[in-house]
Amino acid sequence: MPNVKPEMRIIFTITVCLFAVFLVWPLATLFVRSFETANGFDVANYHSIISNKELMKSIGNSLLISSITAIISTILAFILAYTINCTRIYQPVKGVIKTGMLIPMLLPTITYGFAIMYSFGNQGLITKLFGRKIFDIYGFNGLLIGYVIYTLPSAFLLINNSFKYIDKKFIIVSKLMGDGTLRSFMNTIIRPLWGTLAGAFVLSFILSFTDFGIPASVGGTYDVVATQLYQVMLGSIPDFNNGAAIAVIMLIPAVFAVFLLNYLEKFNFHYDKFTEIELIQNKPRDISFSVISSVILIGMVAIFAVMFVAPLVNSYPYNLAFTLSYFIDVFQSSDLVNVYKNSIVIALLTGVVGTFVAYSAALVNVRTPLKGKRLMDTISIITNTVPGMVLGLSYLLLFNNSSLKGTITIIVLCTLVHYFTTPYLMAKNTLAKMNPTWETTGELLGDSWLKTIRRVLLPNSVSTVFEMFSYYFINAMVTISGIIFLVTAETSVVASKIKELQHFAKFNEIFVLSILIFGTNLIVKLSCDYLQKRPSINRN
């Protein structure tokens, strides 16, 4: 580890100041405003919320449906991950499952609701296949389907990653020792994954509890806390102080989740030695999990299929004659084209600046001897805890009378801070695995610390950098909860424009814009994946 350099202190100071101004200060402002009333500072806003039966019911609704969503998503994600890692089904099928699970992540959540409407509505695609309407899509049912689709990919990625570190040798040993199927399953699969499964549950709960896009489209009369906050802040008579109090209450489950995850860390363990071994073929097991996983994947993808059909026909489902008129209309609309351009600009800026900030923070933490560098971990915990809607509201309250109001800059900053945790951890894990003496060697050879980063560390982590950029770009394209309070007519993005088009029932235009987001994200994802696989110099 090199000695402390001035450039290390500069990067550390700038990073800390950035989060002090655009994370700590906004949240502190939000907390203070939640106690502000016409008569000074007291708990009247909180008392008003507690005494509001409708609002308390919406909080209860959010807790209930988020809990059910988390249970379903965790179970389904486990089945999919188990199929990929613990069965002998055909490798191409495993590849299709892993790729197909990424599809929802490339679309804004508000689109999910409209896809559900066109799939399960009276004239929906799936309704026609079954010959009758299966259930009412507005309210609890629609929200549950949307939330599960939204949270399933994230839960799957988390569990699937942990499966890679399970030593399958113990599964075979357990069988040889005469353990029954259930006992072997619990000891060799569930027990090592217990902490991860709990983490997937918490992650799914928080994502659904704080999402605004899905209830905005299919929530119906089933009120949840996210839509209540939106109505309080952007209704006919905005109430900033009461909205701040609701936002603080939305933080409580997230804070509780952090403590729960820290407690569950003790259930995680690792093997001293890891053995790569292929499990014995078991046709009943393989066929069963192959069928179940295929049904899950097909069911999820089928809901989005209508999104690619409806804008390509004259009038779905009444006139199925092929047409490109809706695409042409969108591209001829300067308003919609500008919205799409705004989304691209914001996503690019967020990807570039966000990757730079997250990589710099990880560098300071892992590759310097600075005191206080662990502050970066604390920052990542906070950004992982704060819901996007709460962060966006805190920006609105703090910067409402500043030059940042209504600018692309504030949207980029909010998105950068909101999604900081995952890219930061990507960079941190990669940098931690590198030889700790590289900087010292570079110093002995006459290279400065920054030159060693440019010539050695960066080339050896270039694949992670592309992955970080891809993560930031895609999330910036699809997010709506974090920016719904910050966009204006000039800075409107595709996700917020979809919310506006909903009021005019322009669903074909909504699907065209959604396809544009999907196509753009897919291109960026595939491009970054390709660049990640290219050989780089100095790779160890």
Side-chain angles (χ1 to χ4, degrees):
M1 189 73 71
N3 297 323
V4 176
K5 309 293 182 186
E7 52 265 39
M8 295 178 184
R9 296 187 188 277
I10 292 172
I11 294 175
F12 176 75
T13 303
I14 291 175
T15 305
V16 170
C17 289
L18 175 70
F19 285 99
V21 174
F22 295 105
L23 177 63
V24 179
W25 191 13
L27 292 177
T29 301
L30 176 76
F31 187 73
V32 171
R33 286 294 294 269
S34 71
F35 291 97
E36 190 175 309
T37 67
N39 301 318
F41 290 91
D42 55 39
V43 295
N45 294 320
Y46 291 96
H47 183 268
S48 174
I49 293 172
I50 294 173
S51 60
N52 187 327
K53 293 183 179 180
E54 182 180 349
L55 186 53
M56 290 303 295
K57 183 181 178 181
S58 71
I59 294 174
N61 287 344
S62 290
L63 292 171
L64 174 63
I65 196 167
S66 298
S67 299
I68 296 174
T69 296
I71 292 171
I72 295 174
S73 292
T74 303
I75 292 173
L76 295 182
F78 173 81
I79 291 172
L80 292 164
Y82 184 89
T83 301
I84 290 174
N85 294 279
C86 294
T87 69
R88 294 281 296 274
I89 67 173
Y90 294 115
Q91 285 297 327
V93 176
K94 293 183 179 182
V96 169
I97 292 173
K98 287 191 283 189
T99 303
M101 288 307 301
L102 298 177
I103 291 176
M105 303 181 76
L106 305 180
L107 291 161
T109 56
I110 195 168
T111 301
Y112 297 8
F114 303 121
I116 291 169
M117 288 164 53
Y118 269 63
S119 297
F120 293 101
N122 292 330
Q123 301 295 327
L125 184 62
I126 296 177
T127 300
K128 286 187 173 296
L129 290 176
F130 280 89
R132 64 183 181 86
K133 187 176 180 179
I134 304 174
F135 48 75
D136 186 12
I137 58 171
Y138 295 102
F140 184 89
N141 295 327
L143 285 174
L144 184 61
I145 294 172
Y147 284 154
V148 169
I149 293 173
Y150 172 43
T151 59
L152 182 55
S154 298
F156 165 75
L157 290 175
L158 184 63
I159 297 173
N160 186 56
N161 183 66
S162 292
F163 253 113
K164 296 175 184 176
Y165 301 98
I166 288 183
D167 195 336
K168 299 184 182 69
K169 174 184 66 179
F170 291 99
I171 300 176
I172 297 175
V173 171
S174 177
K175 289 290 185 182
L176 293 175
M177 292 181 66
D179 289 342
T181 302
L182 180 60
R183 181 183 176 87
S184 175
F185 178 75
M186 294 300 295
N187 287 337
T188 61
I189 300 293
I190 298 298
R191 190 181 172 197
L193 287 175
W194 181 243
T196 301
L197 293 173
F201 175 89
V202 170
L203 175 63
S204 299
F205 178 90
I206 296 300
L207 287 175
S208 52
F209 184 81
T210 59
D211 178 66
F212 169 73
I214 295 169
S217 51
V218 291
T221 57
Y222 192 87
D223 292 327
V224 291
V225 66
T227 51
Q228 286 290 321
L229 177 59
Y230 177 81
Q231 292 168 7
V232 168
M233 293 304 301
L234 298 180
S236 55
I237 306 177
D239 189 339
F240 284 12
N241 297 336
N242 208 28
I246 296 173
V248 171
I249 290 175
M250 286 181 70
L251 281 172
I252 295 175
V255 172
F256 174 76
V258 170
F259 286 109
L260 179 62
L261 288 176
N262 288 333
Y263 170 76
L264 291 171
E265 278 291 319
K266 70 178 185 179
F267 291 102
N268 291 328
F269 63 87
H270 66 278
Y271 301 103
D272 293 330
K273 294 182 179 180
F274 187 81
T275 308
E276 285 289 345
I277 190 171
E278 190 71 39
L279 291 176
I280 301 171
Q281 191 165 17
N282 184 322
K283 285 190 175 181
R285 176 202 65 195
D286 296 346
I287 293 173
S288 299
F289 277 92
S290 178
V291 170
I292 294 172
S293 296
S294 298
V295 169
I296 295 170
L297 184 63
I298 292 171
M300 183 183 71
V301 173
I303 292 175
F304 292 108
V306 69
M307 185 185 82
F308 297 91
V309 175
L312 290 172
V313 299
N314 274 322
S315 179
Y316 180 86
Y318 308 106
N319 183 352
L320 300 182
F322 178 78
T323 180
L324 289 174
S325 60
Y326 297 112
F327 282 87
I328 294 172
D329 289 344
V330 167
F331 285 111
Q332 288 181 342
S333 169
S334 59
D335 181 34
L336 296 181
V337 170
N338 286 335
V339 166
Y340 177 65
K341 287 180 179 178
N342 284 344
S343 291
I344 295 292
V345 170
I346 289 170
L348 284 172
L349 288 173
T350 303
V352 173
V353 180
T355 299
F356 179 80
V357 171
Y359 193 87
S360 298
L363 270 174
V364 168
N365 191 349
V366 180
R367 311 296 298 193
T368 73
L370 285 171
K371 293 181 179 179
K373 62 182 183 178
R374 297 299 179 187
L375 185 60
M376 301 303 167
D377 288 335
T378 304
I379 291 171
S380 74
I381 292 173
I382 297 174
T383 55
N384 195 38
T385 303
V386 180
M389 208 168 183
V390 173
L391 187 64
L393 177 57
S394 68
Y395 274 47
L396 175 66
L397 296 176
L398 178 60
F399 301 110
N400 195 36
N401 296 317
S402 73
S403 58
L404 284 175
K405 179 184 178 182
T407 63
I408 285 179
T409 302
I410 195 172
I411 297 174
V412 170
L413 287 167
C414 183
T415 309
L416 182 159
V417 172
H418 178 39
Y419 292 107
F420 170 78
T421 303
T422 299
Y424 165 75
L425 292 177
M426 288 178 185
K428 179 184 173 184
N429 292 336
T430 297
L431 292 169
K433 293 174 184 176
M434 294 181 184
N435 192 320
T437 64
W438 281 349
E439 290 92 333
T440 303
T441 303
E443 191 174 350
L444 292 174
L445 293 173
D447 289 346
S448 66
W449 183 63
L450 292 178
K451 194 172 183 179
T452 302
I453 292 172
R454 180 174 60 83
R455 294 179 59 182
V456 181
L457 297 184
L458 195 55
N460 279 275
S461 57
V462 68
S463 63
T464 300
V465 170
F466 282 120
E467 189 177 3
M468 293 164 68
F469 174 84
S470 172
Y471 181 88
Y472 258 130
F473 184 95
I474 290 171
N475 280 285
M477 286 290 289
V478 302
T479 186
I480 182 171
S481 299
I483 52 90
I484 192 64
F485 296 127
L486 304 177
V487 294
T488 63
E490 291 75 24
T491 60
S492 180
V493 294
V494 172
S496 60
K497 191 66 177 181
I498 289 174
K499 177 75 175 81
E500 180 184 329
L501 292 172
Q502 174 191 6
H503 295 294
F504 302 100
K506 293 185 176 182
F507 296 113
N508 287 310
E509 287 82 356
I510 287 173
F511 287 141
V512 171
L513 290 174
S514 299
I515 291 172
L516 284 176
I517 288 183
F518 177 81
T520 304
N521 282 338
L522 186 61
I523 291 171
V524 169
K525 176 65 177 172
L526 293 176
S527 299
C528 288
D529 287 349
Y530 169 74
L531 292 170
Q532 280 180 254
K533 294 175 183 177
R534 291 183 63 187
S536 61
I537 60 173
N538 296 324
R539 181 168 292 176
N540 55 0

